[in-house]
Amino acid sequence: MGDAGTIQVPRASRRRNVPRRANAAGSKRRRELLLVWVFLVPSLLVFFLYRVLPLIWNLVLSFQEFSLFGATRFIGFDHYVDMWNDDVFWITLRNTLLYMASAPIGIALALAVSLMVNSEVRGRNIYRTIVFLSYPLMTVAVGIIWRWLYDEKVGLFNFVLRSLHLVDQPLPFLQSFELALPAVLLANVWQILGFYMIILLAGLQNIPQNLYEAASIDGASRRQQFVRITLPLLRPAIFLAFVIGIMTSFTSFDLVYVMTQGGPSHSSELLVNYIYRAAFELSKVDYAAALTVVQFLLLVVLTWLGNRLSGGDAGAVESE
Amino acid sequence: MLQQGSPHRYRTLARSLVAALCLATLAVNPAVAQQKKISFLTWNISDQEELFKEWIAEFKKLRPDVDVEWLDKKGPEFPTYYQTQVIAGTPPDIINTQGGLWLEYAAAGGMVDLTPYLAKEPDVRRRFNADYLGNWTYEGRNHMLPFYISKTLLFYNKTMFKEAGLSGPPQSFDQMMDYAAKMSKGDKTGFMTLNFDWLYWPLFRMNGVELLTPDLKKASFNTPQAVKVLDALTKGTGNGAINKISWTGRWVEPNGAFAAGNVGMLHAHSPAFFFIRGQAPWINADTLGVTNVPGGWATPNSHGLGISKGSKQPDIAWEFLKMVTSEKWTERFSARRKVLTGNVASDKTTLDKMKVDDPLAAAVLQTQLEQTDKLTGNWRLANDARVKDAFYPEIQNAVLGRKTPAEAIKDAEGKVNRVLGR
Amino acid sequence: MMSARPRTAIAPARRYPHWPIHVALLLVSFCMLVPFYWVLKTSLTGENIFVYPPSVWPVAPHLFYYVDVWYYIPFARYLLNSVMVSGLAIGANVVFNAMAAYALTRQFRGRGLIITLLLSCMMIPFQTTIVPAYLITGKLGLLNSYLGLALPTFSTIVCIFVYKASFDAVPRSLIDAARIDGLSELQIIMKIMVPLSTSAVATNVILSFIWSWNNFLWPLIVVRDPQMQTLPLGLSRFLTYHENTTGALYAFCIMVLLPGIVLFLLAQKEFIRGLTSGATKG
């Protein structure tokens, strides 16, 4: 079949005395670039329409005073100034960061479960299905049942705690300022474990079997195989899980909405919940837009920071 | 090559023609009908589908040139849907709102002023209970007609009262708190209140606490009286006399708890009765007491019907509203849903019938028509929602023990004044 | 590229005890199943869950709530709509994400920028895009249509990266050989990358199904015609003020859950590490 260099060279390049190889490679690269873009377009189009444009809409709106039924006028940075002085903003921001900081727990748990389920234990199909069961369940259902589990008077958790005499007074999980957010977090981990699990399992499938075989022959112990083969090659999947964990903590609207509606007194309210409430319950779509912009910028900064801290190559999500 | 390709090519051609036809049919819009169209959006009442179909059929007889579309959204998503439609320029012509949401839209100029319509047709105006109709006025303008009405009342568990040696319902706030303490034991609590849409506010109002000054410009609740009330509520919540769910804004949990027979008194509006009765076989006239809260103050949680400013056929919408609030239809609605509609004649008929068929329910609904001059919990402000949002979390802070009542009231005052000041 | 090593020469690795794994997995399974058990139990008995102490065993279970669900809402119609919308979403996801992921495995100028852009798109929660998304869908003339319902879910960044991780693991030599054989890029994706990434395909299918199937807020906003509503919108019927429909509500949730589980069960084998995956990637 020959190599690219011996293909018929365009006459123009011959005239210009450009070395044959480079020019053929140049057009090949252009073709490749075109192809890459053609492949990217469908996805990029969806994101452009439903993420980028809305973000721009929010950005423009954040500098305006918007009235549903009247005129809109430009007010510059007023909303951002209001935000600075808004306690609720700072409370919800803090809650969101706390939520985010506990994402690693869920991921670590999912990693442990994935590894166990991927080993040769009998009945792993059943275990795998059981762990996954919670993810396709509608979040409203998850919220409702966990609300009952946490109920101070009639909930299962308090029933167990009291039966085992671990507490004398029942714990008002969802009405407690300290416990409400962790309570929602636990329900979230319960639901999302299956999701992390299949991401990590898919990552485990990418590790070639014969590496383990070769290592076995070379006398490596299971533990060494795990540390030297599994973990490093699982790094992209783990990094992806982390990124997802951080994103979902900023976008995990439904569970808080159903379980506590941000209560009591904003102690379990996430920034995304505040944005929704500001837009639709307090009828301040313009302020909500400003909050959206701030949240987005914050996430960009956090991701950039995370990237730098983890070695700078996006944890091999974009390696090779 | 061509010969081999021919049948293949024809097949491809045929397939592309079919595909093109399909796309064409998808893209072609049916010719714009000469029919006019109105739509009405209801608030979480999808169980009455039959009734709405009958409304639409009847209106078709009155106005064959108008098509009517019915939409229904649950409370939490209602504003999201409505506001999106408004921004997109296609708001439903008629909307049904619960509680104080209408105020947001009316104050921003989004609801048609019905006063001229009512002025032109005084018989229509006379249909309605004046106090309830006045619920939906802003700056002297009428913006909505009653769809169905309700306000808070006190339910009490007679069995629990007897067990605690108490006779009859409480006659004052202090007595209510006292009874609550007496009845709470183990897993039983003495008192619970619903709290969404400010249904809890009568607890304060009955003690003489006013939220705002009469000109609605400043907070006026930072008084020793208010601190006393909040203190009583906090103490009650702390020692279990008041169930903590009271402060969470739920519907199912408080009613479920009362239905389970574990709560002495429930401060709720009339729909709660029907919800509870469905779950509590023990409920009858001997075990359930029904009365107004001491002092008679109540927060209304009524549903109104109004016309969106962006409606393209407000006159047709008005005709529709006239029809559905007439006795024929309100009686039918009351019979199916066991609610009062604010239509005076129809409510009388409904109650009279119910006193025979279902006396306990009649007693519940009777309270809805009593002391309608003592309605509270809504202030005619454009930023009513924001004021409430600034106030309530501080109350939560106090009752759940995070701040002292005095501190909470003071902080709330600061926050409310800040909202009012902008 | 077959290994010349005979199977029998592989020394078995030191066996590790399985029972600690079983104990751990049993514990995890128990925790995962407890809430489920209650949902299931209440869907069969419709009991008042505010009674104390909670009863562990179902009292007088019956299947009527499941029948009720079918009649309370136009279940069959909603099911059809959901199937159509999710079908579109799955098809688009599997294809578009594979294409995008393949493009990202190639080195080109602006690659880093695109990846950053994609990651940042993930950071925009849906609730902040409701109104503009509606306006855009309106401009496209897709309100009240299956396409309009499915379009925002046609591609997701998580799934692109899942594909990408899988594609990255395919040895370059295979791809180069294929190019030399004259295969076009599209053929490379279809004939080499995707068959070797069945677990990524399975993940794409499962995730795009779940996200489009459970999507609640978007169909609520974009669909006006009751005949075009999807299953989650039927939920509101069970959350009414007027009657207690807890049993039916839970039965409804279980019924909506089932297709996702079935899909996962069917795709199970893609997550099993077997001799096959090693050999073709080795």
Side-chain angles (χ1 to χ4, degrees), chain B residues 225-248:
Chain B
Q225 195 58 20
V227 175
K228 201 159 143 285
V229 173
L230 190 53
D231 194 53
L233 293 173
T234 307
K235 285 214 174 65
T237 311
N239 63 30
I242 301 180
N243 193 315
K244 283 209 183 72
I245 299 178
S246 302
W247 311 115
T248 59

Side-chain angles (χ1 to χ4, degrees), chain A residues 6-314:
Chain A
T6 56
I7 302 175
Q8 196 174 39
V9 171
R11 279 196 324 177
S13 66
R14 227 182 290 142
R15 255 187 266 139
R16 271 189 257 131
N17 275 326
V18 170
R20 286 204 221 135
R21 260 251 196 91
N23 196 58
S27 85
K28 175 167 177 278
R29 193 159 296 148
R30 270 198 301 282
R31 227 180 333 121
E32 193 169 300
L33 198 62
L34 184 66
L35 206 75
V36 156
W37 284 101
V38 165
F39 279 2
L40 281 173
V41 155
S43 294
L44 286 184
L45 191 62
V46 173
F47 300 139
F48 180 71
L49 285 178
Y50 289 104
R51 306 274 170 197
V52 176
L53 280 184
L55 184 66
I56 297 176
W57 183 86
N58 273 302
L59 183 63
V60 171
L61 194 58
S62 69
F63 294 115
Q64 298 177 326
E65 184 178 356
F66 180 78
S67 164
L68 266 184
F69 304 103
T72 302
R73 58 191 187 96
F74 180 77
I75 56 168
F77 283 92
D78 281 5
H79 289 306
Y80 293 96
V81 172
D82 287 341
M83 204 187 302
W84 185 263
N85 294 320
D86 182 4
D87 308 346
V88 181
F89 167 66
W90 293 107
I91 296 175
T92 54
L93 183 61
R94 185 206 68 189
N95 288 342
T96 313
L97 290 174
L98 280 175
Y99 208 79
M100 181 188 92
S102 19
I105 303 175
I107 296 171
L109 192 57
L111 183 59
V113 171
S114 306
L115 290 168
M116 287 193 282
V117 146
N118 203 44
S119 66
E120 290 124 21
V121 292
R122 277 224 315 250
R124 59 196 167 162
N125 286 357
I126 302 178
Y127 288 128
R128 191 172 28 224
T129 312
I130 290 178
V131 172
F132 189 72
L133 272 183
S134 60
Y135 189 61
L137 189 60
M138 285 178 72
T139 313
V140 177
V142 176
I144 292 177
I145 197 65
W146 276 82
R147 235 171 40 206
W148 171 75
L149 286 172
Y150 280 129
D151 192 285
E152 184 194 8
K153 298 270 176 224
V154 302
L156 187 66
F157 289 166
N158 275 311
F159 175 58
V160 168
L161 286 173
R162 287 158 79 182
S163 306
L164 295 178
H165 298 290
L166 289 171
V167 296
D168 355 87
Q169 285 286 62
L171 295 172
F173 292 99
L174 296 180
Q175 285 92 44
S176 148
F177 296 98
E178 301 81 26
L179 295 177
L181 191 61
V184 175
L185 198 59
L186 185 62
N188 187 40
V189 169
W190 178 82
Q191 189 188 22
I192 213 172
L193 198 63
F195 173 57
Y196 286 144
M197 184 185 74
I198 57 171
I199 302 278
L200 292 168
L201 280 180
L204 279 172
Q205 304 318 311
N206 292 335
I207 303 175
Q209 261 294 57
N210 62 356
L211 284 182
Y212 292 107
E213 291 166 6
S216 285
I217 292 185
D218 290 345
S221 72
R222 285 265 173 203
R223 200 173 149 276
Q224 282 172 319
Q225 287 178 32
F226 177 72
V227 173
R228 297 284 182 106
I229 301 178
T230 314
L231 276 186
L233 288 178
L234 203 52
R235 229 174 119 222
I238 296 181
F239 183 79
L240 184 60
F242 261 97
V243 169
I244 294 168
I246 293 177
M247 300 306 164
T248 54
S249 61
F250 273 82
T251 58
S252 135
F253 169 85
D254 291 309
L255 211 53
V256 169
Y257 189 59
V258 176
M259 282 180 80
T260 61
Q261 285 157 334
S265 187
H266 308 297
S267 59
S268 66
E269 191 169 1
L270 299 180
L271 190 52
V272 66
N273 291 90
Y274 185 39
I275 292 175
Y276 184 83
R277 214 158 53 82
F280 302 115
E281 283 174 37
L282 303 176
S283 296
K284 289 192 320 193
V285 187
D286 40 11
Y287 186 60
L291 289 169
T292 304
V293 170
V294 166
Q295 176 174 284
F296 177 74
L297 289 175
L298 198 66
L299 275 167
V300 169
V301 166
L302 280 171
T303 313
W304 178 81
L305 265 178
N307 198 22
R308 294 303 299 272
L309 286 174
S310 73
D313 66 345

Side-chain angles (χ1 to χ4, degrees), chain C residues 111-231:
Chain C
R111 181 166 168 272
L113 193 64
I114 294 286
I115 290 188
T116 316
L117 178 70
L118 290 180
L119 282 177
S120 37
C121 277
M122 233 164 102
M123 302 182 217
I124 304 170
F126 171 69
Q127 288 76 24
T128 61
T129 66
I130 299 175
V131 177
Y134 181 85
L135 295 173
I136 289 170
T137 311
K139 282 258 156 47
L140 291 173
L142 292 176
L143 295 175
N144 261 320
S145 67
Y146 289 141
L147 190 55
L149 277 167
L151 193 55
T153 58
F154 261 16
S155 183
T156 52
I157 295 124
V158 170
C159 293
I160 292 180
F161 282 121
V162 167
Y163 260 133
K164 181 174 177 309
S166 210
F167 288 176
D168 282 338
V170 172
R172 256 230 97 92
S173 43
L174 270 181
I175 307 176
D176 291 339
R179 281 228 195 85
I180 291 174
D181 282 347
L183 286 169
S184 78
E185 300 297 319
L186 206 58
Q187 282 172 317
I188 292 181
I189 300 184
M190 282 189 337
K191 297 218 165 104
I192 301 187
M193 305 300 261
V194 169
L196 285 180
S197 312
T198 48
S199 67
V201 174
T203 310
N204 261 265
V205 169
I206 292 173
L207 290 181
S208 56
F209 175 79
I210 291 176
W211 291 335
S212 58
W213 189 259
N214 283 346
N215 206 355
F216 172 70
L217 202 50
W218 177 242
L220 186 127
I221 301 289
V222 94
V223 166
R224 211 156 145 141
D225 180 359
Q227 290 292 48
M228 290 297 287
Q229 294 191 346
T230 54
L231 273 179

Side-chain angles (χ1 to χ4, degrees), chain B residues 128-136 371-375 380:
Chain B
F128 304 112
N129 178 315
D131 288 322
Y132 275 111
L133 182 64
N135 207 20
W136 291 286
Q371 306 198 54
T372 53
D373 53 329
K374 292 217 175 87
L375 297 176
R380 305 286 183 267

